[in-house]
Amino acid sequence: MEEQKVSIVIADYSKSPGPRYCRQGDDSGEDFYHKVLNEKFKNAFEQKLELEVNLDGPDGYASSFLDEAFGNLVFDFGLENVQSRIIIVSNEEPEWIEMIEKETYVQWEIRRKDKQNPTKTIDHEAWWRFNFANNSTERQIWINKN
Amino acid sequence: MKKRKIQISIQRILIRHKKLERLRKKSAEKKRQRNICNNDKKNSFQEAKPKLNQYRLPRQITISAKSDFSLLEFPENVLSFIKDVENVTSVKKYQIVTLDITQVTSIDIGCISVLLSKINKLTQKNIQTICNLPKNNYCKKMFFESGFSDHMCDLKGRKILYSKTHKNLMVNRGFDKTSNQEVGLAIKNSVKHLTGVEESFRPLYSIAQEMCANSIEHANQHNKNWLFSVWYKNETDVCFTMTDIGEGILGTLKRKFSQIIKEMFLSDNKEILNRAFEKKYSSATKDINRNKGLPKIKSIADENYINNLIVITNDVLLDFSNNANSKVLNRKFNGTFYYWELNKNCIEIWKNRKLA
């Protein structure tokens, strides 16, 4: 039987996740999004698979780490696409699921519609974004370092 | 006829070229003159600088602390001392500052943390700091046991050697970046101290990260510095502090004009700070998705995953475990200081909480 989902375990990325931006410290939300989440989500999205993100395992999180990582995903792919493909697992701290789904998703969708670009604190390689005009994903450097 | 017309247009082009050439030369000459003037200015300035400093000895000043130097009990005494240090160093008057705490008879982890943060700040500004230790034996011992001396040298520039009787205070400090792994390790060690099992304690990691990230985000753009400390008070309690010297929480709040007007008549800074922890204001960055950190800190304290959370920032002391102790201070602290405690009960509450 064909596997219907792919997964990311954040503990594989870092045991001690850091702050919001790359310039603020190691293993930041911005870094996690650009190195892991963006590419994995794009692949799952194109293959019509679900992406399970497991938050269990690390020492803990700052709200800003999760907000920046999942918020950028909504900004680049849109709320509907993210909600239909992402499953967040957090058995150790279910509070984070509530924060991400009820606050981060909604607030970043507003930012996307208002065209309030996220801050990039270093130069990143090209990353994926959903183009709503032609219903496809495109890869380029969308925002330069602020 | 046609030939004549062509000749006229060629002549016109030549005239225009000559005119442009004249203008270009004139402009180049002006630029050259301007550069000569500027170079003259630069040279005189550069020459003047070494002459001024050549025979000038570093100016020194001594600032003495009061005997009651415990931040949690006598916050005004400590903040007044810190303010004095700020006043004498803010205008770059003094290159050497002596902090005289010889007369101190009561200290705590709070004052040690704030003092060390201030010394870090002075170091960033290239101001040399000399610290005379307390005569009182208990206070002197606490200074050494705390690890304060690990960050200092003696007057000959040698590291101060002192063998601690306890593992006691472990200090992490940073400037413009968080130290996730070190903070995570410090928390694991403190849990091991209380329960015998080396494991992470997620609420504590979260609040340490929130506080540290806030200090980096909002502290003075060019002089960020934070300090995280752990004090093994006894077998059953571990105390933590996070200090940053910067603007303080009240300086980073974004309030609507109508809110400011209303608060001018109805609220003091204590209430405004309380409201900041209840997410009543937006972040200074104005981004809609921000300002989740302070409410997270409050919710962890409310759930009793930590004990006795105290915040001192600007002119407010906020005691989350007993609001009656919260007060507006008569001294202003340009920064934020957090203090909280952890015991075995906090860890059990966390482990036994009902998950949704």
Side-chain angles (χ1 to χ4, degrees):
Chain A
M1 193 180 156
E2 205 177 317
E3 201 181 352
Q4 291 300 301
K5 68 179 177 189
V6 283
S7 56
I8 297 172
V9 179
I10 295 189
D12 292 342
Y13 164 76
S14 174
K15 286 279 176 200
S16 310
R20 182 179 292 275
Y21 296 124
C22 295
R23 72 164 146 78
Q24 295 176 325
D26 297 332
D27 301 342
S28 62
E30 181 189 354
D31 185 68
F32 171 69
Y33 177 68
H34 283 275
K35 283 190 180 156
V36 183
L37 190 57
N38 179 269
E39 180 85 26
K40 284 266 189 184
F41 182 82
K42 178 257 172 192
N43 291 338
F45 181 73
E46 285 191 342
Q47 293 168 48
K48 296 189 168 33
L49 298 174
E50 285 181 332
L51 176 65
E52 183 183 277
V53 185
N54 191 330
L55 308 188
D56 292 336
D59 291 337
Y61 295 96
S63 56
S64 48
F65 172 92
L66 296 169
D67 185 73
E68 193 66 18
F70 288 94
N72 268 281
L73 195 65
V74 171
F75 193 88
D76 284 336
F77 290 89
L79 179 63
E80 210 174 300
N81 291 330
V82 172
Q83 276 178 329
S84 64
R85 294 271 162 232
I86 284 261
I87 301 167
I88 300 167
V89 175
S90 181
N91 295 319
E92 292 175 359
E93 268 183 293
E95 311 71 319
W96 290 129
I97 302 179
E98 197 180 328
M99 185 203 83
I100 294 165
E101 291 183 347
K102 289 188 178 163
E103 295 178 42
T104 298
Y105 281 178
V106 182
Q107 289 160 348
W108 279 81
E109 178 67 358
I110 294 169
R111 280 189 70 160
R112 188 180 72 79
K113 286 180 177 167
D114 291 348
K115 294 187 171 58
Q116 286 178 28
N117 277 344
T119 302
K120 305 292 175 189
T121 60
I122 60 165
D123 288 320
H124 295 284
E125 286 179 18
W127 69 95
W128 296 98
R129 186 177 271 189
F130 185 72
N131 186 336
F132 287 87
N134 58 18
N135 219 23
S136 68
T137 49
E138 287 173 14
R139 190 171 193 240
Q140 58 171 283
I141 296 170
W142 300 94
I143 304 162
N144 289 315
K145 179 184 164 185
N146 298 87
Chain B
M1 186 70 179
K2 216 174 188 180
K3 266 188 182 175
R4 190 179 159 77
K5 265 187 179 176
I6 290 167
Q7 271 180 345
I8 288 168
S9 59
I10 289 170
Q11 271 177 343
R12 277 182 180 167
I13 289 166
L14 285 172
I15 289 166
R16 185 172 288 175
H17 266 280
K18 278 180 186 171
K19 195 178 175 185
L20 282 172
E21 185 63 19
R22 269 203 314 276
L23 284 170
R24 196 186 59 76
K25 278 183 182 171
K26 203 175 170 185
S27 152
E29 178 62 20
K30 267 188 182 175
K31 200 174 175 183
R32 201 174 67 83
Q33 289 295 341
R34 212 166 41 230
N35 284 344
I36 290 168
C37 289
N38 285 345
N39 286 342
D40 285 349
K41 275 183 201 167
K42 268 183 200 169
N43 288 342
S44 66
F45 180 72
Q46 278 167 349
E47 281 167 13
K49 208 174 177 184
K51 270 185 190 172
L52 272 173
N53 291 328
Q54 205 167 7
Y55 301 110
R56 185 182 281 179
L57 292 169
R59 295 186 67 185
Q60 301 189 33
I61 191 164
T62 300
I63 301 160
S64 302
K66 288 179 181 168
S67 59
D68 295 322
F69 206 53
S70 157
L71 181 65
L72 298 173
E73 277 183 79
F74 308 99
E76 271 117 349
N77 284 358
V78 180
L79 298 186
S80 167
F81 180 78
I82 296 294
K83 193 75 192 165
D84 288 346
V85 177
E86 251 170 43
N87 288 342
V88 299
T89 53
S90 59
V91 285
K92 292 186 178 176
K93 256 180 165 178
Y94 298 96
Q95 287 96 42
I96 300 176
V97 177
T98 302
L99 307 179
D100 179 19
I101 48 174
T102 47
Q103 302 307 315
V104 165
T105 52
S106 74
I107 57 166
D108 63 0
I109 183 62
C111 85
I112 293 177
S113 301
V114 171
L115 207 54
L116 202 48
S117 288
K118 194 67 213 170
I119 292 170
N120 282 348
K121 190 84 174 175
L122 295 179
T123 310
Q124 277 180 297
K125 291 166 85 176
N126 290 325
I127 296 169
Q128 196 184 337
T129 315
I130 297 168
C131 194
N132 298 331
L133 290 174
K135 285 177 184 166
N136 178 292
N137 280 338
Y138 169 78
C139 295
K140 192 194 279 183
K141 194 180 171 194
M142 189 164 177
F143 259 96
F144 281 115
E145 290 286 341
S146 71
F148 182 90
S149 55
D150 298 349
H151 298 265
M152 310 293 278
C153 297
D154 66 12
L155 287 174
K156 288 180 180 169
R158 295 173 301 201
K159 275 274 169 200
I160 298 166
L161 298 172
Y162 179 85
S163 56
K164 293 182 203 169
T165 50
H166 303 287
K167 49 190 168 180
N168 267 333
L169 187 79
M170 197 277 313
V171 172
N172 280 309
R173 63 176 175 165
F175 294 102
D176 57 354
K177 288 196 171 189
T178 60
S179 299
N180 321 324
Q181 286 181 359
E182 287 85 348
V183 169
L185 186 64
I187 291 167
K188 279 179 195 161
N189 287 339
S190 65
V191 173
K192 190 181 178 185
H193 175 81
L194 296 171
T195 65
V197 183
E198 189 179 318
E199 60 183 354
S200 167
F201 186 53
R202 282 182 152 225
L204 205 51
Y205 185 82
S206 287
I207 61 167
Q209 285 290 336
E210 302 287 4
M211 291 167 184
C212 196
N214 272 351
S215 77
I216 287 167
E217 178 81 28
H218 296 299
N220 187 321
Q221 208 60 25
H222 302 292
N223 284 312
K224 297 164 181 170
N225 101 56
W226 58 266
L227 186 135
F228 177 66
S229 69
V230 187
W231 172 254
Y232 295 89
K233 191 176 171 184
N234 50 44
E235 289 306 308
T236 56
D237 295 285
V238 182
C239 311
F240 298 82
T241 70
M242 178 69 86
T243 315
D244 85 73
I245 308 278
E247 280 188 69
I249 295 172
L250 294 176
T252 63
L253 294 178
K254 175 76 187 162
R255 284 178 282 163
K256 288 176 189 164
F257 184 69
S258 58
Q259 277 177 319
I260 295 171
I261 297 294
K262 198 177 162 188
E263 281 159 2
M264 273 169 68
F265 297 103
L266 300 175
S267 319
D268 57 19
N269 278 349
K270 187 179 78 180
E271 282 176 52
I272 294 171
L273 188 62
N274 248 322
R275 288 163 67 88
F277 277 91
E278 288 165 359
K279 210 179 180 177
K280 294 275 166 52
Y281 307 110
S282 55
S283 163
T285 62
K286 297 180 190 172
D287 291 336
I288 186 177
N289 57 301
R290 303 297 286 271
N291 205 18
K292 296 182 173 79
L294 295 182
K296 180 73 185 171
I297 293 168
K298 186 180 186 306
S299 80
I300 288 170
D302 289 346
E303 298 284 351
N304 295 319
Y305 302 148
I306 57 168
N307 283 337
N308 301 330
L309 175 64
I310 291 170
V311 184
I312 298 175
T313 185
N314 304 103
D315 62 348
V316 183
L317 184 151
L318 216 55
D319 187 335
F320 284 81
S321 56
N322 184 2
N323 198 35
N325 292 337
S326 300
K327 58 183 172 181
V328 177
L329 305 166
N330 62 21
R331 286 285 181 280
K332 198 180 168 195
F333 175 48
N334 291 326
T336 309
F337 168 82
Y338 290 94
Y339 169 90
W340 70 97
E341 292 173 5
L342 182 72
N343 60 28
K344 207 173 171 180
N345 192 37
C346 299
I347 299 169
E348 278 166 11
I349 291 172
W350 164 257
K351 283 186 173 172
N352 297 330
R353 77 199 194 283
K354 283 180 186 169
L355 296 175

